[in-house]
Amino acid sequence: MAQDCSDPAPLCFVQFNNITVDSTGNGPLMADLNCANPAMNGTLYQITTIAPGDFQILLENIQCDTAGNQLGDGLILTVYDSADPCNPGPASIIACEMVSDQITLDLTAATADQNFYVAIYGDMEAGDSGPADCGYELQTSGEAVEFALTVPSVQYEILLGQSVDIEGVTGVEEYLWSGSGQITEDTMANPTITPNGIGEFTYQVMGTQGDCEVTEEVTILVQPNIIPADVITPNGDGINDEWYVLFLDERFDRADVRIFDRWGQVVYKSIGYGVTQLWDGTNNGNRLPAGAYYYVIDLKTSESGEGPVFTGAVNVIY
């Protein structure tokens, strides 16, 4: 693409990894900046810093089409700071290099929102009829230009129907969330997300800083709700002799399970509820009378080791 001084292409940090090739042969002339003979088909980029400090410009993987005779076989990289990028003047040139392989330039920004211009165009030496069409990779990095979209490193884990209040997302000016289910305020850094099913759900947040974009992901694991049986018949016939809680044993090994009689006395308790821990209607090996008993199940799935809590009744029938 040819240079456009009225709208230079924004140059983003390490994410920028675009192969740029100008094969039109009719780009505008770009005046020699005391570096080489005049050349055409230049491309102009703009770097706007986000903080004072050091940064680097890397030009590499140069691939020039030199099939024609008397064509240049390299590029010219010019960096300058000017209010008029089409007419920068020698005094505003920061660096000017002829490059055939790769080069890294170390630069320093005095402030945030400081504009630097990077011009890249074909090298022409004496006797060349024109510059070759070249592709390349151009990147910037460093504290003055890099921004980082920060997201939580943990995987959220909830039950079906619950929501997650995302916390700790920072680093850019604007945000946009996407993914299945309901996302409340999808342009906020920290929205509320309600998945619409069971399983692992991945949500993408795109962060924007000026014209630059970066994306990260957040994962939410949705577990099915537990389903406690409401009746047991511990009569030894092998049917409903023990109290089953569907999905509890295989998913919530930290769950605190307690069963109370009508007077509030604990008749059963356990941490976890595996196949060897099923309640059989007894208390310390003694058979309990028929009637209603009351359970409290604390799944202890939160980071603080609490809840959600399920309560209800189970009837013992002989």
Side-chain angles (χ1 to χ4, degrees), residues 267-268 279-288 318:
V267 298
Y268 172 88
W279 182 53
D280 60 0
T282 64
N283 180 18
N284 294 323
N286 299 315
R287 180 173 170 173
L288 293 168
Y318 296 104

Side-chain angles (χ1 to χ4, degrees), residues 145-188:
V145 294
E146 289 188 18
F147 61 91
L149 176 58
T150 302
V151 300
S153 59
V154 299
Q155 174 179 267
Y156 292 98
E157 185 173 336
I158 60 173
L159 297 177
L160 179 63
Q162 291 184 320
S163 300
V164 172
D165 294 325
I166 303 296
E167 297 179 350
V169 178
T170 60
V172 295
E173 296 174 342
E174 298 180 354
Y175 303 84
L176 181 62
W177 288 84
S178 60
S180 61
Q182 181 180 356
I183 304 175
T184 303
E185 301 291 346
D186 62 358
T187 58
M188 293 179 58

Side-chain angles (χ1 to χ4, degrees), residues 94-304:
I94 299 171
C96 192
E97 302 284 347
M98 287 179 281
V99 186
S100 59
D101 183 15
Q102 71 174 43
I103 190 172
T104 299
L105 297 179
D106 295 312
L107 303 171
T108 300
T111 64
D113 298 320
Q114 183 175 350
N115 289 329
F116 292 82
Y117 298 94
V118 179
I120 298 177
Y121 51 101
D123 177 22
M124 291 178 61
E125 298 177 351
D128 290 339
S129 60
D133 295 327
C134 298
Y136 54 86
E137 294 182 11
L138 181 64
Q139 301 179 12
T140 64
S141 60
E143 60 181 341
V145 294
E146 289 188 18
F147 61 91
L149 176 58
T150 302
V151 300
S153 59
V154 299
Q155 174 179 267
Y156 292 98
E157 185 173 336
I158 60 173
L159 297 177
L160 179 63
Q162 291 184 320
S163 300
V164 172
D165 294 325
I166 303 296
E167 297 179 350
V169 178
T170 60
V172 295
E173 296 174 342
E174 298 180 354
Y175 303 84
L176 181 62
W177 288 84
S178 60
S180 61
Q182 181 180 356
I183 304 175
T184 303
E185 301 291 346
D186 62 358
T187 58
M188 293 179 58
N190 299 287
T192 298
I193 299 178
T194 308
N196 57 356
I198 296 171
E200 187 173 277
F201 294 81
T202 300
Y203 295 87
Q204 186 178 77
V205 54
M206 179 177 70
T208 304
Q209 185 85 16
D211 292 310
C212 301
E213 297 176 352
V214 63
T215 58
E216 290 289 349
E217 293 182 344
V218 170
T219 301
I220 300 176
L221 179 63
V222 182
Q223 304 277 23
N225 287 319
I226 64 172
I227 305 175
D230 55 8
V231 173
I232 64 170
T233 57
N235 55 15
D237 64 357
I239 301 174
N240 294 330
D241 285 337
E242 297 170 313
W243 184 51
Y244 289 94
V245 183
L246 194 61
F247 302 124
L248 179 58
D249 59 337
E250 63 221 60
R251 298 183 182 274
F252 304 103
D253 57 4
R254 296 187 301 168
D256 186 321
V257 181
R258 296 172 187 259
I259 300 175
F260 303 83
D261 62 18
R262 68 177 69 182
W263 298 281
Q265 300 298 312
V266 176
V267 298
Y268 172 88
K269 63 180 179 179
S270 72
I271 300 299
Y273 197 69
V275 294
T276 62
Q277 298 168 288
L278 303 182
W279 182 53
D280 60 0
T282 64
N283 180 18
N284 294 323
N286 299 315
R287 180 173 170 173
L288 293 168
Y293 295 81
Y294 305 92
Y295 61 80
V296 176
I297 303 173
D298 185 342
L299 297 184
K300 295 190 176 296
T301 59
S302 69
E303 292 184 4
S304 62

